[in-house]
Amino acid sequence: GYCNAGNALAGKFKGQNNPSALWNLSKVISINSVKLATGLMLFLFLSYYFIGILFFENEKTLSLFYEVYWMVLLTLPLMAIAFTYDELLKGVGQMSFLRNTLLLATFLGFVPLIYFMDSLDLKMFSIWGAFIGWMGFRAFRLSRYFKKNYHYKLP
């Protein structure tokens, strides 16, 4: 929801031809969303074993959950960055770039990583490792593109 507000405001600032407000919006939303995601990640790390017991009773399932849950938590800051710039770039009308990034991340990031990691017989680590790579690819590419094309320097 926080990033979705960025979508609407980015469109507003782009329409007003107000690059300084757009740049400031990107800084505020990206910093706050990463802080929020990191705080949530830390809270979930602290309640790591409680969450497993809350949702699962079977020892084998709990063991598998505890084995990979840390990887799920590591995705939170990456997702915060990717979703922030997803919404900002939607707001300024860069849908073709978003589509191309999604395709590139899938076919140059996720697919090769999952095949490679699966060939090492890493099981659930293959899925989450490929997902982290996919999300990292998107977060990096989207944030770099936004900075390159919408960075505002004071005159």
Side-chain angles (χ1 to χ4, degrees):
Y2 191 68
C3 295
N4 198 23
N7 179 345
L9 290 171
K12 174 185 173 183
F13 296 144
K14 170 98 172 160
Q16 291 175 342
N17 197 21
N18 191 346
S20 66
L22 180 60
W23 181 249
N24 289 333
L25 173 70
S26 74
K27 288 192 306 188
V28 168
I29 290 183
S30 61
I31 289 168
N32 287 335
S33 63
V34 169
K35 282 181 184 177
L36 185 64
T38 303
L40 181 61
M41 180 182 70
L42 292 174
F43 171 76
L44 293 172
F45 264 124
L46 293 174
S47 56
Y48 199 87
Y49 290 101
F50 173 73
I51 290 173
I53 293 168
L54 183 67
F55 290 104
F56 307 108
E57 293 177 6
N58 181 311
E59 287 299 318
K60 188 173 181 180
T61 306
L62 271 171
S63 173
L64 182 62
F65 173 78
Y66 292 140
E67 205 173 285
V68 296
Y69 186 55
W70 63 272
M71 293 180 80
V72 175
L73 297 180
L74 288 179
T75 64
L76 292 176
L78 282 175
M79 285 191 289
I81 295 166
F83 294 155
T84 295
Y85 289 101
D86 261 351
E87 294 299 321
L88 290 171
L89 289 168
K90 274 187 221 172
V92 297
Q94 293 294 326
M95 297 304 294
S96 60
F97 182 78
L98 289 169
R99 177 203 59 220
N100 294 342
T101 298
L102 186 60
L103 289 170
L104 286 171
T106 300
F107 294 111
L108 297 180
F110 185 85
V111 171
L113 275 172
I114 201 160
Y115 275 110
F116 173 71
M117 294 175 82
D118 190 49
S119 73
L120 300 175
D121 199 31
L122 295 175
K123 298 179 177 47
M124 287 294 284
F125 292 105
S126 300
I127 296 167
W128 283 102
F131 184 70
I132 289 170
W134 181 74
M135 193 58 68
F137 185 104
R138 290 182 58 234
F140 179 77
R141 183 171 156 101
L142 295 175
S143 62
R144 298 303 303 160
Y145 181 84
F146 191 88
K147 184 174 183 178
K148 178 183 174 195
N149 292 289
Y150 296 98
H151 184 255
Y152 179 74
K153 295 180 183 169
L154 293 172

